[in-house]
Amino acid sequence: IVLTGGDDHLWKTWGFPDGNILLTGEGHTDWLSGCCFRPSGTQLVTSSGDTTVRLWDLSRSGCILTLRGHSRAVRGCCWHSCGDFVASASADCTSKIWDVNSERCRYTLRGHKDSVNSIEFLPFSSTVVTSSADKTLSLWDVR
């Protein structure tokens, strides 16, 4: 299964090798910049130009949580390997760590001088790496 998101505001899962669309999710009001399966495989997270991060339940193809807090487009998202946290990177020069159980922002990471364009948790760690249009990479300890 492959997961994609696009300018049509939709995410889609595709089965291979046939390339059939298995599921489609709608709810964002602008382009999708990122999408990622939860480590358990039962949910996914998407980020969008509409400034939101959304969690989706694959069994219902529906949005179960919308995370708001960025003031500009969200450029990327990812899951922590434990499946309890989501990270987001935004054109508002910040990144956020979201606790999906409490449905709240746990940390806002400030320090980049321009759009934060990508974010990733290092595997099985509390370290996040961000890349920015300010031509820097930053490592963050989010404990």
Side-chain angles (χ1 to χ4, degrees):
I1 295 176
V2 172
L3 174 62
T4 63
D7 288 342
D8 59 1
H9 311 182
L10 303 174
W11 60 263
K12 296 175 183 174
T13 59
W14 305 77
F16 278 91
D18 297 331
N20 300 328
I21 295 175
L22 304 174
L23 295 171
T24 301
E26 60 181 75
H28 282 291
T29 59
D30 209 338
W31 46 272
L32 269 68
S33 57
C35 48
C36 183
F37 286 108
R38 189 174 193 162
S40 66
T42 59
Q43 296 175 343
L44 58 95
V45 64
T46 56
S47 55
S48 172
D50 67 11
T51 74
T52 67
V53 176
R54 292 181 184 243
L55 274 61
W56 306 82
D57 185 304
L58 292 173
S59 65
R60 296 183 300 199
S61 300
C63 179
I64 57 172
L65 179 61
T66 300
L67 300 169
R68 291 179 171 84
H70 286 293
S71 61
R72 295 187 59 201
V74 183
R75 309 286 297 184
C77 59
C78 67
W79 285 96
H80 185 273
S81 54
C82 73
D84 293 332
F85 301 97
V86 165
S88 59
S90 175
D92 67 9
C93 305
T94 70
S95 297
K96 293 184 180 288
I97 307 299
W98 305 90
D99 182 329
V100 298
N101 296 315
S102 69
E103 303 181 359
R104 295 174 34 167
C105 177
R106 175 77 66 89
Y107 304 108
T108 298
L109 309 175
R110 293 180 174 86
H112 284 294
K113 305 292 185 229
D114 205 341
S115 175
V116 184
N117 295 329
S118 68
I119 190 163
E120 288 293 329
F121 281 102
L122 299 184
F124 308 102
S125 95
S126 61
T127 302
V128 174
V129 62
T130 55
S131 68
S132 172
D134 66 12
K135 301 179 183 173
T136 65
L137 296 174
S138 293
L139 290 171
W140 310 82
D141 184 344
V142 295
R143 280 182 283 181

